[in-house]
């Protein structure tokens, strides 16, 4: 092709012994995987066809990247669904305090890893205090308190919560960043699994008895949930 078309994004073409063309979009970069001997004109033709799709995915990734959690002085972090400005304060003994609009991290080291560690430990503690108490209360309201074995906290990649058949309920402690009604929905959801170990109609009826707005809250988690992930 003499006149290469121009695209509103950068891309890289990598060739290998493959049979078909494919496009990979990762961390805001576009890579076109092409069969070794495919003429360039065909590769460009493919890019022209897929242009709208590429642009859509690049925009989506951009949004997700900017919403990635960063624990640094001056940045904002959510707690109970409210943004708090991070303030790093030098102190010999680390501690974290939350005010109405700020999150104070007292620390000896300003390193991002140290800050993230203080923040994670603190958030986990908040989760174990709030969510454990609420889960016991909800299980009691549902009349299944004796089925609840224990409440544990993990940072899982894909799940907000999980209820095991032995009555152990597991939560992702990053949930503490979500608004309180969303946290309470998650608690209602997992506690209702102590009654029904499935997602049947009866299960959702049980959820509704302790969380009447569950439908909206479920949608909220689906739409905004990725904002809370740390990588
Ligand atoms: Zn479930």
């Amino acid at each position: 092709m003499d006149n290469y078309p121009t695209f509103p994004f950068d891309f890289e073409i990598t060739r290998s012994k493959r049979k078909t063309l494919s496009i990979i979009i990762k961390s805001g970069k576009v890579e076109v995987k092409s069969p070794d001997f495919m003429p360039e004109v065909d590769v460009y033709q493919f890019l022209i066809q897929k242009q709208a799709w590429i642009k859509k995915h690049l925009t989506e990734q951009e949004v997700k990247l900017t919403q990635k959690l960063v624990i640094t002085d001056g940045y904002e972090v959510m707690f109970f669904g409210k943004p708090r400005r991070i303030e790093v304060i030098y102190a010999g003994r680390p501690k974290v305090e939350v005010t109405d609009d700020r999150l104070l991290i007292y620390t000896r080291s300003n390193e991002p890893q140290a800050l993230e560690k203080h923040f994670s430990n603190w958030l986990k503690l908040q989760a174990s205090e709030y969510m454990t108490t609420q889960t016991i209360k909800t299980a009691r309201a549902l009349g299944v308190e004796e089925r609840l074995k224990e409440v544990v906290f993990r940072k899982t990649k894909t799940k907000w919560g999980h209820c095991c058949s032995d009555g152990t309920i597991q939560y992702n402690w990053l949930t503490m960043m979500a608004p309180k009604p969303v946290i309470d929905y998650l608690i209602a959801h997992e506690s209702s699994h102590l009654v029904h170990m499935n997602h049947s109609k009866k299960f959702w009826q049980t959820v509704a008895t302790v969380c009447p707005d569950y439908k909206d809250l479920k949608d909220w988690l689906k739409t905004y949930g990725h904002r809370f992930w740390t990588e």
Side-chain angles (χ1 to χ4, degrees):
M1 202 181 246
D2 290 333
N3 289 313
Y4 289 128
T6 50
F7 294 95
F9 47 81
D10 291 327
F11 59 89
E12 201 187 322
I13 302 171
T14 51
R15 291 178 180 273
S16 63
K17 278 184 190 145
R18 48 183 299 128
K19 291 211 169 66
T20 54
L21 277 164
S22 78
I23 296 170
I24 293 175
I25 301 171
K26 217 173 156 186
S27 310
K29 288 191 182 125
V30 182
E31 186 191 352
V32 189
K33 295 194 166 204
S34 151
D36 261 335
F37 303 107
M38 181 175 272
E40 212 145 62
V41 62
D42 292 349
V43 180
Y44 280 90
Q45 203 54 49
F46 182 67
L47 270 171
I48 291 168
Q49 272 172 29
K50 297 284 176 192
Q51 220 180 126
W53 181 87
I54 295 170
K55 274 203 280 191
K56 180 173 166 266
H57 281 263
L58 279 172
T59 314
E60 271 174 22
Q61 284 198 359
E62 211 173 292
V63 171
K64 286 191 187 182
L65 283 173
T66 54
Q67 284 171 348
K68 208 169 117 173
L69 180 66
V70 182
I71 308 297
T72 305
D73 198 49
Y75 274 56
E76 274 183 353
V77 74
M78 301 295 264
F79 180 60
F80 274 118
K82 216 183 145 200
R84 327 272 170 154
R85 231 175 104 90
I86 300 169
E87 231 169 80
V88 179
I89 301 156
Y90 181 85
R93 186 181 288 199
K95 84 176 165 177
V96 177
E97 272 173 11
V98 70
T99 72
D100 205 39
D101 58 357
R102 284 174 306 157
L103 186 94
L104 312 171
I105 305 180
Y106 295 84
T107 172
R108 227 182 306 205
S109 159
N110 214 328
E111 291 287 313
Q113 277 167 334
L115 295 179
E116 199 174 309
K117 186 139 192 60
H118 292 321
F119 174 71
S120 311
N121 288 342
W122 174 81
L123 196 66
K124 242 182 271 180
L125 187 72
Q126 304 306 309
S128 70
E129 281 172 8
Y130 180 76
M131 297 179 84
T132 307
T133 315
Q134 276 309 110
T135 304
I136 294 168
K137 267 194 211 165
T138 310
R140 192 178 299 152
L142 292 170
V144 287
E145 197 187 351
E146 78 289 349
R147 283 195 212 156
L148 178 65
K149 193 182 165 212
E150 64 172 328
V151 182
V152 294
F153 295 87
R154 305 244 152 77
K155 193 171 99 179
T156 45
K157 272 257 164 200
T158 53
K159 276 188 173 175
W160 291 108
H162 178 69
C163 180
C164 305
S165 51
D166 73 348
T168 301
I169 291 181
Q170 182 191 303
Y171 294 116
N172 185 324
W173 43 265
L174 290 172
T175 312
M176 288 303 285
M177 295 179 157
K180 195 169 167 288
V182 176
I183 307 173
D184 291 342
Y185 154 69
L186 189 76
I187 293 168
H189 182 121
E190 299 312 331
S191 305
S192 296
H193 277 315
L194 296 168
V195 186
H196 303 283
M197 259 303 164
N198 50 43
H199 292 115
S200 60
K201 210 174 161 194
K202 280 188 176 169
F203 165 80
W204 291 111
Q205 281 165 356
T206 304
V207 174
T209 63
V210 279
C211 182
D213 297 331
Y214 77 90
K215 276 185 190 144
D216 293 342
L217 300 163
K218 197 177 150 199
D219 285 348
W220 191 97
L221 260 184
K222 219 180 238 172
T223 316
Y224 300 107
H226 61 81
R227 278 192 194 196
F228 304 123
W229 300 122
T230 42
E231 277 170 20

